[in-house]
């Protein structure tokens, strides 16, 4: 009988130590998923204000490398307090023709955040958490005319 209690105590202690260790293991992830079927571009925040960000877009190559373009988006709406210049973002477009076909659209934005294994992976799997507000309105597009290659969200 004592062996069973000892085994349970060891399992409980082991689980507690593993959870604590996960708190110290770095884990970076996208804070929200882009809706399936949307076209997706990646970019970097190059300027930010209280309720707006400017994002420089990348284009994807056949080998999945990202190349900077001269295309900038001004996005307006709720910007999280922890969004910062230099942060990577993914932008999901609802238009099947991409960004240039419908520049007056609402896009879904996902921010690449640094965290730990416990909050970014384990708790997210147990209690799926999505950002409260991820939709932003395109206010302006400045493009160098380069062709943008999109991915499709799954």
């Amino acid at each position: 009988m004592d062996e069973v209690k000892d085994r349970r105590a060891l399992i409980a202690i082991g689980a507690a130590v593993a959870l604590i260790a996960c708190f110290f293991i770095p884990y970076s992830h996208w804070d929200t998923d882009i809706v399936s079927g949307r076209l997706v571009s990646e970019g970097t925040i190059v300027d930010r204000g209280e309720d707006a960000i400017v994002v420089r877009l990348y284009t994807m190559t056949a080998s999945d490398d990202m190349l900077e373009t001269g295309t900038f988006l001004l996005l307006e709406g709720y910007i999280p307090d922890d969004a910062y210049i230099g942060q990577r973002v993914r932008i999901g477009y609802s238009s099947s023709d991409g960004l240039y076909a419908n520049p007056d659209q609402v896009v879904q934005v996902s921010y690449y955040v640094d965290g730990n294994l416990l909050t970014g992976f384990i708790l997210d799997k147990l209690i799926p958490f999505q950002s409260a507000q991820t939709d932003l309105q395109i206010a302006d597009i400045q493009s160098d005319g380069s062709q943008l290659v999109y991915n499709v969200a799954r």
Side-chain angles (χ1 to χ4, degrees), residues 28-148:
S28 298
H29 61 283
W30 295 106
D31 71 341
T32 187
D33 295 328
I34 300 293
V35 173
S36 180
R38 283 192 169 187
L39 300 176
V40 179
S41 287
E42 288 192 31
T44 302
I45 298 174
V46 294
D47 196 11
R48 85 154 277 164
E50 185 69 26
D51 60 352
I53 56 175
V54 176
V55 176
R56 178 182 207 144
L57 294 182
Y58 296 108
T59 193
M60 303 300 292
T61 66
S63 61
D64 285 336
D65 292 330
M66 293 186 299
L67 301 173
E68 265 188 358
T69 66
T71 300
F72 296 86
L73 296 180
L74 173 61
L75 303 173
E76 294 179 334
Y78 171 74
I79 308 299
D81 291 335
D82 56 350
Y84 59 91
I85 294 174
Q87 184 175 23
R88 289 176 47 206
V89 294
R90 291 189 322 175
I91 301 170
Y93 305 97
S94 58
S95 174
S96 62
D97 297 325
L99 173 65
Y100 298 136
N102 182 12
D104 184 34
Q105 62 179 302
V106 174
V107 296
Q108 185 182 6
V109 179
S110 177
Y111 301 87
Y112 196 69
V113 294
D114 295 324
N116 60 56
L117 192 59
L118 179 65
T119 59
F121 183 75
I122 295 172
L123 290 180
D124 191 47
K125 295 297 182 198
L126 296 175
I127 309 167
F129 174 76
Q130 298 291 312
S131 296
Q133 177 72 26
T134 62
D135 293 339
L136 297 175
Q137 177 69 43
I138 297 175
D140 190 23
I141 299 174
Q142 295 178 2
S143 174
D144 63 356
S146 63
Q147 180 73 23
L148 295 177

